[in-house]
Amino acid sequence: RVLVTCPPSVVPGQKIRFQLPVQQVIGNIQLSYESETGGWCRTIRVTDLKFQWVRVNGKQQEPQHEGDNAEAAVDNMETFDFSKSAYVRKIHMLEGNDARMRTGTVELVPAQDAVVDSRLVYHNRTLLSYADIANVQGKSLEEKTSWFQSICTQLTAEWDEGHVKLVVRRHSLLNDSVDAVMSLGREDLRKRWRVEFLGEPGIDAGGVTREWFQLVTEQLFDPDFGLWLSSVNNQMCMTINPASNISCPDDHLVYFRFLGRVMGRALFDRQLIKGHMVRHLYKHLLGWPITFEDLEAQDEGYYQSLKKFTTMQDLSCMCLDFTITEETMGVRRDVELIPGGNMKEVTAENLPEYLEANLRYRMLDRTKPQITELLLGFFDIIPEPALTIFDPNEIELILCGLPTIDIDDWELNSIYSGLFESKGKRDKVVDWFW
């Protein structure tokens, strides 16, 4: 709200002109994602007050808004740049589908072309605006989480307006849970939930629901189930199995839509789930830029092999084309990164296009159906504008909490090598360590 004092000489019906302090508010809304050499900032676009990503060359340079030479703000990056280019997922909701089960498509667009609403309207009520986000974005994680929960509370229907009771059997926990949650409409997903295990009397005061979230997500993230795999770089982080359709041929996408809804509901209710995902998946949830650094975090060996191509003078000796070789259950197959990729040789001139195609494939295209369902399920519950205050590390911490390390189990199963191989636990240094 802006208070305007009219000049004393104004008469009824006369037009007056005054300046709104938009730039002052907009200047405070800047979510940075940058390193010492530069990076990406999320700011408000003046024309429609939507969030957009702009690139800055360094920490001293301020991002420019649309109308102030936006092309310079992204360094005129019309071609792919290994160290600077970034892409953001964009969801296209398809019209004319059942509102209970929305469908859509997901694609990667250049970061500078990605926008998200900065206000949330629910039942003709504005729950948040860009000014609210500007006020809360610089606060502590605890304060931001409390603000987010207040938004979720306003989206939650009152108990007397209807609630959802989930009754599941322990021996058929996952199947019962999928059937129950996937039968709910979007309005039901935001009602109050009460979980009950069949044949187990008790009142759900929070403990039963907490156990349900833990057990369900533990089964879904179990590598033996076939939907997820341990990341190459970090065994504690899970990445989507590209061959999940083989493990669950009939319903693997239903499981990902279900998991998206469970994750959204966990965030909605401030519950924890049992599974840390690779970093770029949290970025997809938040709509943050995907860069080659995310590929390095997922598979450092693959990243280093691509990076070496940028320093080679002659790529013809590598005999590369726009395909990669994948192996699924012992069967090797060539995947085209672009249409007709097996007929296109990689040269110094088209190397940027080859690197871009690899990044797109590894970060989205390889598992696009699964990621699409995961995002659609997540946004069935969570409104995207409310997420703009968080970064990927914060959203992971809120969803998964801090990992608990069993020191006794660690000590019991440790293998000693090198200088400590002969004495093992009897070595004085090892004794100090434990």
Side-chain angles (χ1 to χ4, degrees):
R1 296 180 180 179
V2 178
L3 178 64
V4 179
T5 303
C6 294
S9 58
V10 171
V11 297
Q14 181 180 345
K15 293 182 179 180
I16 62 173
R17 178 174 295 181
F18 55 90
Q19 178 113 18
L20 288 174
V22 176
Q23 292 288 353
Q24 181 180 356
V25 176
I26 289 176
N28 294 329
I29 307 178
Q30 178 176 313
L31 303 179
S32 298
Y33 169 54
E34 57 187 68
S35 61
E36 295 292 337
T37 57
W40 291 89
C41 275
R42 190 179 235 171
T43 62
I44 282 290
R45 190 165 63 181
V46 177
T47 53
D48 55 9
L49 298 182
K50 289 187 176 183
F51 280 115
Q52 68 170 357
W53 290 99
V54 294
R55 179 166 180 82
V56 293
N57 291 325
K59 290 190 175 181
Q60 292 76 26
Q61 178 180 337
E62 293 294 327
Q64 304 175 37
H65 301 288
E66 187 174 81
D68 297 330
N69 191 11
E71 290 185 358
V74 294
D75 298 330
N76 292 319
M77 288 189 299
E78 297 179 357
T79 59
F80 182 81
D81 185 303
F82 186 88
S83 60
K84 297 180 180 179
S85 293
Y87 297 89
V88 174
R89 61 101 183 114
K90 182 177 182 180
I91 304 176
H92 301 276
M93 295 297 180
L94 299 182
E95 300 293 335
N97 291 282
D98 185 358
R100 293 169 60 91
M101 185 67 70
R102 293 188 301 176
T103 59
T105 61
V106 176
E107 65 171 335
L108 287 179
V109 299
Q112 63 269 20
D113 296 336
V115 296
V116 64
D117 287 331
S118 62
R119 57 194 298 264
L120 173 62
V121 179
Y122 182 68
H123 289 171
N124 298 320
R125 243 180 352 120
T126 300
L127 299 187
L128 65 89
S129 66
Y130 62 88
D132 299 317
I133 296 172
N135 182 54
V136 76
Q137 59 138 350
K139 295 184 177 181
S140 66
L141 177 59
E142 183 177 356
E143 292 174 302
K144 288 195 286 187
T145 303
S146 297
W147 176 86
F148 177 80
Q149 290 301 319
S150 70
I151 299 297
C152 293
T153 300
Q154 297 178 68
L155 292 171
T156 305
E158 296 295 332
W159 181 266
D160 54 6
E161 294 178 8
H163 52 275
V164 175
K165 182 179 180 180
L166 302 179
V167 180
V168 296
R169 298 166 295 176
R170 283 193 181 271
H171 64 83
S172 186
L173 174 66
L174 187 56
N175 289 335
D176 288 357
S177 299
V178 171
D179 291 341
V181 173
M182 295 307 292
S183 66
L184 300 177
R186 294 180 61 214
E187 289 295 326
D188 295 328
L189 291 171
R190 289 178 177 170
K191 292 180 179 178
R192 299 184 186 277
W193 286 13
R194 176 183 166 189
V195 179
E196 180 181 315
F197 289 102
L198 187 65
E200 298 182 20
I203 298 176
D204 183 8
V208 177
T209 298
R210 182 165 55 251
E211 182 185 10
W212 178 80
F213 276 104
Q214 292 284 304
L215 293 176
V216 165
T217 53
E218 185 176 20
Q219 287 192 38
L220 288 171
F221 281 108
D222 186 351
D224 292 336
F225 192 64
L227 298 179
W228 296 82
L229 300 171
S230 295
S231 173
V232 175
N233 285 3
N234 186 349
Q235 296 294 309
M236 294 292 292
C237 292
M238 308 304 294
T239 186
I240 295 175
N241 181 7
S244 62
N245 62 314
I246 298 177
S247 304
C248 306
D250 298 326
D251 47 13
H252 75 118
L253 295 182
V254 175
Y255 282 125
F256 281 102
R257 175 70 72 100
F258 168 72
L259 177 58
R261 288 185 168 190
V262 170
M263 290 172 59
R265 187 68 201 197
L267 194 62
F268 203 76
D269 289 344
R270 206 167 184 177
Q271 297 285 350
L272 297 179
I273 65 172
K274 197 81 171 179
H276 292 259
M277 301 185 297
V278 289
R279 180 178 173 84
H280 79 272
L281 292 177
Y282 293 110
K283 289 188 174 183
H284 282 324
L285 291 179
L286 298 177
W288 273 51
I290 299 293
T291 68
F292 251 92
E293 291 181 356
D294 296 299
L295 182 57
E296 181 182 18
Q298 183 185 21
D299 191 338
E300 185 176 2
Y302 189 76
Y303 166 84
Q304 292 295 341
S305 64
L306 291 177
K307 190 175 182 180
K308 287 180 181 179
F309 296 151
T310 62
T311 61
M312 296 179 63
Q313 298 294 327
D314 184 15
L315 289 171
S316 60
C317 62
M318 300 297 295
C319 300
L320 294 173
D321 56 22
F322 278 70
T323 64
I324 62 170
T325 301
E326 296 259 319
E327 183 173 336
T328 304
M329 300 186 70
V331 179
R332 298 169 66 89
R333 63 187 182 94
D334 290 333
V335 178
E336 291 187 340
L337 297 176
I338 61 173
N342 61 338
M343 302 297 293
K344 188 171 184 177
E345 183 182 1
V346 178
T347 63
E349 289 73 24
N350 62 24
L351 178 60
E353 182 184 358
Y354 175 74
L355 295 176
E356 177 188 1
N358 271 277
L359 180 64
R360 287 178 174 275
Y361 179 75
R362 298 289 291 225
M363 295 292 101
L364 178 65
D365 294 345
R366 191 184 191 193
T367 53
K368 180 183 284 189
Q370 296 93 321
I371 291 177
T372 300
E373 292 301 317
L374 185 72
L375 294 176
L376 289 175
F378 185 77
F379 290 118
D380 276 344
I381 300 177
I382 301 297
E384 189 171 4
L387 293 173
T388 53
I389 62 171
F390 297 120
D391 65 31
N393 293 330
E394 291 172 335
I395 203 70
E396 180 182 12
L397 183 60
I398 296 171
L399 275 172
C400 305
L402 293 172
T404 302
I405 300 176
D406 189 332
I407 300 297
D408 294 333
D409 181 69
W410 183 11
E411 180 180 1
L412 185 64
N413 292 281
S414 292
I415 299 175
Y416 303 94
S417 61
L419 297 175
F420 308 105
E421 185 173 5
S422 57
K423 292 186 178 180
K425 293 179 63 175
R426 294 179 287 105
D427 191 284
K428 183 167 60 175
V429 175
V430 174
D431 183 56
W432 288 342
F433 178 80
W434 296 118

